[in-house]
Amino acid sequence: MRLITHNMLQCHVKNCNTNNFPLQLQDVQLELVEADANTEFLINMLPKLEWKALFDTAQQLGVAGLPEQVPEDAETNEVFLQALHSVLLETHVQQGKMVCPGCAHIYTIKEGIPNMLLAEHEI
């Protein structure tokens, strides 16, 4: 699972409507997978990202390079765009779990795929 995916996931357990984002990563195994750069894609994704969640997650995982705030010249700042590319598209969570900070529901990640399915009583 790429960190761009993690930045868009939230808990959907019944009655878990507050404090359900971001899911906290625990016991993760990371893998860096080289990917082709696509500057236009990154620029278009910037407004859709929850920056604080992305920054905090990267820090928690020990992935350096992102500034605490999006720079004003983000669209033309090559160093920033390369760091963003590396964090969003090249950092993969292969194994681990995501835990909802609101209800403590655990979503497992196996072979890079997050299991977001809920049991019938959780819907």
Side-chain angles (χ1 to χ4, degrees):
M1 174 185 73
R2 292 177 176 161
L3 291 187
I4 190 170
T5 303
H6 175 262
N7 193 258
M8 297 176 189
L9 296 176
Q10 65 183 18
C11 183
H12 289 288
V13 170
K14 180 173 31 174
N15 298 324
C16 183
N17 300 318
T18 59
N19 198 25
N20 61 352
F21 176 86
L23 299 173
Q24 303 300 310
L25 291 169
Q26 295 180 359
D27 304 324
V28 298
Q29 176 187 343
L30 295 179
E31 182 178 347
L32 294 178
V33 179
E34 195 171 317
D36 291 336
N38 185 336
T39 304
E40 184 178 341
F41 173 77
L42 293 173
I43 292 169
N44 289 331
M45 284 303 299
L46 268 173
K48 298 173 177 100
L49 296 172
E50 173 54 53
W51 189 261
K52 181 172 176 12
L54 178 63
F55 177 79
D56 291 347
T57 299
Q59 293 295 304
Q60 173 197 357
L61 297 176
V63 180
L66 289 182
E68 196 166 345
Q69 303 285 327
V70 176
E72 295 209 10
D73 66 343
E75 294 183 10
T76 58
N77 185 328
E78 290 296 323
V79 173
F80 168 75
L81 290 171
Q82 179 54 45
L84 182 62
H85 168 77
S86 178
V87 170
L88 284 183
L89 302 174
E90 295 185 331
T91 304
H92 292 242
V93 178
Q94 289 300 105
Q95 306 289 334
K97 56 188 173 183
M98 298 181 293
V99 180
C100 176
C103 70
H105 184 81
I106 297 173
Y107 299 93
T108 59
I109 305 165
K110 292 184 180 175
E111 297 179 16
I113 301 170
N115 182 353
M116 300 300 290
L117 296 176
L118 300 173
E120 191 168 321
H121 70 279
E122 297 171 318
I123 300 174

